[in-house]
Amino acid sequence: MMATKPKTKWRPSLGQIVFGVLALVGTLPLVGLFFFRIYDNQLIRQTQAELIAQSGVLAAVFAEEVSARLTAGIPLGAELPPETRPDASDEVTPIRPLLDLLANDLFVRRPDAREAVRPADPAYVAIGARLLPIIRETQKVTLAGYRVLDPQGVVIAGRDEMGKSLSHIDEVAAALTGRYSAALRIRIPDKAPPPIYSISRGVGVHVFSAMPVIVNDHVAGVIYTSRTPRNIFEHLYVERGKFIAAGSTIILTTLLVGLIVARTITRPMRELVDRAGRIGRNDPTGFRPLAHYGTRDFAELAEHFFAMADQLARRSNYIKNFSAHLTHELKSPLTSIKGAAELLLDSLHATSGRLTHAEQEKFLTNILGDAERLDRMAQRLRELARAEAVQHSDQSSLAEVMDALRARFPAAGIETRGALDRPIRLSSETLLIVLTHLADNAVRHGAGTISLELENDTGQQVLRVSNDGSPISQANRERIFDAFFTTRRDSGGTGMGLAIVRAIMMSHGGQIDLLPSEHDVRFELHLPAGEEARHADLK
């Protein structure tokens, strides 16, 4: 079956994929910078929580001062609606920081203070004077801005804007009604706030908190605080040495991983692809081992690949040589048959000089002989194809085929030694074909006795086959396994018997060798052992 060629389209190489993955991993820390605004959001809420805590303390002190002056008739502000009054049974009423950069809580700069409609009550001015030293000392530690407002939103304590009104500011107006309010503002006058918090303007953001002071369910004043939250990039700048070291470590680690992957995966893969291309072009340099195998898996893959390629190359050479020899061997009998048939045909139509009866009989005998030779050759080819097609998982033993072998060669004395019942990883049909060709070769060379001895050797069965026929000359010892080589062509030899034996042994993982001997012929066959024999050897 012809392999389907992959559809032509662009596909990334293994190196490009590895590089892309490493580049993505290397940029992950940089991508994380865009998520710093989430961390900034937490810093803003932390700042709001601190302002709530500080305002709560000042509000408690402010409420005590106002409560002490209630009998003197100090005026209070707006009364809280019944539904917003705190439950007297609640021991805690926490205020949670809820400012969010992603929820449109970012406003333009805080509006300037305005002139008050009427001045603050002297009692509240006195309270502001008492709170001012506390505010200044607190500000030294917290770095926050403090303004204490009376019930009308007039500043009674703070560094700036004394006596002016802040009641028009949204968060202050909400606090004057008894509700806590906060706002996030930036210093961009007369411009709309950006849709997404700008990293470059992080230090320009201010958190404003307006905490109402409640006395007898009335607003007695407002603690208005502000502060710039800590910025993540200021922290990064302060710790820039550590971040540079961390970034360098990430880059070096990524490069090291890339080098390891290139040496252990990409480079061996490219070399293996190059070897496959060279082998496909019949370039002998394709069988050279890889310079770097990288990992054990690639080493095993390369080992099996080269073994497969070597087997295919040997198989291809075998088929090519076999085809050349087969063509040559078929040419001689076909030429002889054709020549004899043409002479007979010419004699049939000739008016004079016809062939005699003896000559016609001779030509017909030659035709029948050559046809018989072609028939034997075809039979050998069928035996070779059938033997190589047998499943390699089949098992047999010498004991199973000895009766059939003796029946085919009744004139030869066949002797056996060794454990003939040990399993061999060859089917009985294949094993009989091997022994039949060895016995036929021996009988054709005058052997009267054929000896078979089976031994076990490290997971393989070693079968030694010897006969007392004519010894093989030194000149022919190197050629006896070549296809169509025979010294008995006149007696009907095809020269394929030993070639079929060698092909069968090689295809089943075995081996056949001609052992040196001066007085007889000895072959040594390494047969693949069956499963039972291998398990027995391991025990």
mmCIF file of all heavy atoms in Angstrom, residues 85 95 136 138 179 196 246 305 322 335 349 371 430 443 466 499 533 535:
data_model
loop_
_atom_site.group_PDB
_atom_site.id
_atom_site.type_symbol
_atom_site.label_atom_id
_atom_site.label_comp_id
_atom_site.label_asym_id
_atom_site.label_seq_id
_atom_site.Cartn_x
_atom_site.Cartn_y
_atom_site.Cartn_z
ATOM 1 N N ARG A 85 -30.442 54.850 61.542
ATOM 2 C CA ARG A 85 -29.850 54.909 62.879
ATOM 3 C C ARG A 85 -29.292 53.528 63.263
ATOM 4 O O ARG A 85 -29.921 52.511 63.013
ATOM 5 C CB ARG A 85 -30.894 55.352 63.887
ATOM 6 C CG ARG A 85 -31.386 56.773 63.658
ATOM 7 C CD ARG A 85 -32.504 57.134 64.611
ATOM 8 N NE ARG A 85 -33.036 58.475 64.310
ATOM 9 C CZ ARG A 85 -34.060 59.039 64.939
ATOM 10 N NH1 ARG A 85 -34.684 58.364 65.925
ATOM 11 N NH2 ARG A 85 -34.475 60.249 64.612
ATOM 12 N N ILE A 95 -17.105 49.636 59.275
ATOM 13 C CA ILE A 95 -17.222 50.276 57.962
ATOM 14 C C ILE A 95 -16.170 49.639 57.059
ATOM 15 O O ILE A 95 -14.968 49.733 57.334
ATOM 16 C CB ILE A 95 -17.004 51.797 58.058
ATOM 17 C CG1 ILE A 95 -18.042 52.435 58.990
ATOM 18 C CG2 ILE A 95 -17.060 52.432 56.683
ATOM 19 C CD1 ILE A 95 -17.827 53.918 59.221
ATOM 20 N N ARG A 136 -2.262 67.365 64.693
ATOM 21 C CA ARG A 136 -0.896 67.613 64.220
ATOM 22 C C ARG A 136 0.053 66.479 64.606
ATOM 23 O O ARG A 136 0.903 66.063 63.805
ATOM 24 C CB ARG A 136 -0.404 68.941 64.777
ATOM 25 C CG ARG A 136 -1.077 70.151 64.117
ATOM 26 C CD ARG A 136 -0.590 71.450 64.732
ATOM 27 N NE ARG A 136 -1.176 72.595 64.015
ATOM 28 C CZ ARG A 136 -0.991 73.862 64.387
ATOM 29 N NH1 ARG A 136 -0.249 74.151 65.456
ATOM 30 N NH2 ARG A 136 -1.551 74.837 63.680
ATOM 31 N N THR A 138 -0.819 63.382 65.216
ATOM 32 C CA THR A 138 -1.200 62.205 64.440
ATOM 33 C C THR A 138 -0.691 62.299 63.013
ATOM 34 O O THR A 138 -0.237 61.320 62.414
ATOM 35 C CB THR A 138 -2.729 62.045 64.437
ATOM 36 O OG1 THR A 138 -3.198 61.991 65.778
ATOM 37 C CG2 THR A 138 -3.146 60.773 63.706
ATOM 38 N N ARG A 179 -24.158 59.681 56.652
ATOM 39 C CA ARG A 179 -23.646 58.500 55.965
ATOM 40 C C ARG A 179 -22.138 58.635 55.726
ATOM 41 O O ARG A 179 -21.676 59.686 55.284
ATOM 42 C CB ARG A 179 -24.347 58.295 54.627
ATOM 43 C CG ARG A 179 -25.835 57.982 54.738
ATOM 44 C CD ARG A 179 -26.468 57.734 53.363
ATOM 45 N NE ARG A 179 -26.436 58.914 52.503
ATOM 46 C CZ ARG A 179 -25.634 59.088 51.474
ATOM 47 N NH1 ARG A 179 -24.744 58.147 51.166
ATOM 48 N NH2 ARG A 179 -25.703 60.184 50.749
ATOM 49 N N ILE A 196 -9.277 53.729 32.348
ATOM 50 C CA ILE A 196 -8.565 52.726 33.134
ATOM 51 C C ILE A 196 -7.463 53.439 33.896
ATOM 52 O O ILE A 196 -6.814 54.346 33.383
ATOM 53 C CB ILE A 196 -7.965 51.634 32.229
ATOM 54 C CG1 ILE A 196 -9.076 50.920 31.472
ATOM 55 C CG2 ILE A 196 -7.155 50.633 33.035
ATOM 56 C CD1 ILE A 196 -8.586 49.853 30.530
ATOM 57 N N ALA A 246 16.076 39.044 39.919
ATOM 58 C CA ALA A 246 15.061 38.031 39.624
ATOM 59 C C ALA A 246 14.829 37.919 38.123
ATOM 60 O O ALA A 246 14.713 36.809 37.578
ATOM 61 C CB ALA A 246 13.760 38.380 40.339
ATOM 62 N N PHE A 305 15.580 2.738 14.487
ATOM 63 C CA PHE A 305 15.457 3.324 13.149
ATOM 64 C C PHE A 305 16.569 2.815 12.233
ATOM 65 O O PHE A 305 16.308 2.396 11.098
ATOM 66 C CB PHE A 305 15.504 4.852 13.245
ATOM 67 C CG PHE A 305 15.629 5.535 11.913
ATOM 68 C CD1 PHE A 305 14.539 5.667 11.069
ATOM 69 C CD2 PHE A 305 16.857 6.035 11.493
ATOM 70 C CE1 PHE A 305 14.656 6.277 9.834
ATOM 71 C CE2 PHE A 305 16.987 6.656 10.269
ATOM 72 C CZ PHE A 305 15.876 6.780 9.438
ATOM 73 N N PHE A 322 18.710 -10.548 -6.360
ATOM 74 C CA PHE A 322 17.912 -11.728 -6.664
ATOM 75 C C PHE A 322 17.223 -11.580 -8.024
ATOM 76 O O PHE A 322 17.167 -12.527 -8.826
ATOM 77 C CB PHE A 322 16.871 -11.927 -5.555
ATOM 78 C CG PHE A 322 16.055 -13.169 -5.708
ATOM 79 C CD1 PHE A 322 16.522 -14.384 -5.249
ATOM 80 C CD2 PHE A 322 14.810 -13.120 -6.321
ATOM 81 C CE1 PHE A 322 15.759 -15.536 -5.386
ATOM 82 C CE2 PHE A 322 14.051 -14.269 -6.458
ATOM 83 C CZ PHE A 322 14.528 -15.485 -5.993
ATOM 84 N N THR A 335 15.875 -19.228 -23.665
ATOM 85 C CA THR A 335 16.572 -19.143 -24.956
ATOM 86 C C THR A 335 16.687 -20.518 -25.601
ATOM 87 O O THR A 335 16.499 -20.684 -26.816
ATOM 88 C CB THR A 335 17.967 -18.525 -24.753
ATOM 89 O OG1 THR A 335 17.832 -17.230 -24.178
ATOM 90 C CG2 THR A 335 18.703 -18.425 -26.078
ATOM 91 N N HIS A 349 8.055 -26.949 -41.768
ATOM 92 C CA HIS A 349 7.654 -26.293 -43.005
ATOM 93 C C HIS A 349 8.684 -26.449 -44.133
ATOM 94 O O HIS A 349 8.435 -26.002 -45.256
ATOM 95 C CB HIS A 349 7.424 -24.796 -42.751
ATOM 96 C CG HIS A 349 6.281 -24.536 -41.813
ATOM 97 N ND1 HIS A 349 4.953 -24.711 -42.158
ATOM 98 C CD2 HIS A 349 6.281 -24.123 -40.508
ATOM 99 C CE1 HIS A 349 4.174 -24.409 -41.139
ATOM 100 N NE2 HIS A 349 4.961 -24.056 -40.111
ATOM 101 N N ALA A 371 11.986 -26.928 -19.410
ATOM 102 C CA ALA A 371 10.703 -26.620 -18.778
ATOM 103 C C ALA A 371 10.646 -27.165 -17.358
ATOM 104 O O ALA A 371 10.119 -26.525 -16.434
ATOM 105 C CB ALA A 371 9.559 -27.191 -19.622
ATOM 106 N N THR A 430 8.088 -24.144 7.984
ATOM 107 C CA THR A 430 9.316 -23.414 7.685
ATOM 108 C C THR A 430 10.536 -24.234 8.074
ATOM 109 O O THR A 430 11.530 -24.288 7.330
ATOM 110 C CB THR A 430 9.325 -22.069 8.430
ATOM 111 O OG1 THR A 430 8.149 -21.334 8.099
ATOM 112 C CG2 THR A 430 10.549 -21.255 8.063
ATOM 113 N N VAL A 443 22.526 -34.659 -0.322
ATOM 114 C CA VAL A 443 22.319 -35.846 -1.137
ATOM 115 C C VAL A 443 22.833 -35.618 -2.551
ATOM 116 O O VAL A 443 23.452 -36.518 -3.172
ATOM 117 C CB VAL A 443 20.824 -36.229 -1.145
ATOM 118 C CG1 VAL A 443 20.549 -37.320 -2.178
ATOM 119 C CG2 VAL A 443 20.395 -36.690 0.240
ATOM 120 N N SER A 466 25.646 -31.678 9.647
ATOM 121 C CA SER A 466 26.845 -32.125 8.917
ATOM 122 C C SER A 466 26.490 -33.326 8.048
ATOM 123 O O SER A 466 25.532 -34.052 8.311
ATOM 124 C CB SER A 466 27.969 -32.501 9.898
ATOM 125 O OG SER A 466 27.551 -33.546 10.770
ATOM 126 N N ALA A 499 20.329 -20.425 -0.636
ATOM 127 C CA ALA A 499 19.899 -19.018 -0.604
ATOM 128 C C ALA A 499 18.550 -18.892 0.109
ATOM 129 O O ALA A 499 18.310 -17.936 0.872
ATOM 130 C CB ALA A 499 19.803 -18.462 -2.019
ATOM 131 N N ALA A 533 11.316 -22.208 25.972
ATOM 132 C CA ALA A 533 12.750 -22.454 26.124
ATOM 133 C C ALA A 533 13.430 -21.272 26.787
ATOM 134 O O ALA A 533 14.295 -21.422 27.639
ATOM 135 C CB ALA A 533 13.381 -22.752 24.756
ATOM 136 N N HIS A 535 12.066 -19.068 28.870
ATOM 137 C CA HIS A 535 11.686 -19.039 30.285
ATOM 138 C C HIS A 535 12.451 -20.091 31.075
ATOM 139 O O HIS A 535 12.866 -19.857 32.213
ATOM 140 C CB HIS A 535 10.187 -19.269 30.432
ATOM 141 C CG HIS A 535 9.376 -18.137 29.880
ATOM 142 N ND1 HIS A 535 9.821 -16.846 29.910
ATOM 143 C CD2 HIS A 535 8.137 -18.114 29.291
ATOM 144 C CE1 HIS A 535 8.900 -16.051 29.364
ATOM 145 N NE2 HIS A 535 7.880 -16.802 28.981
#
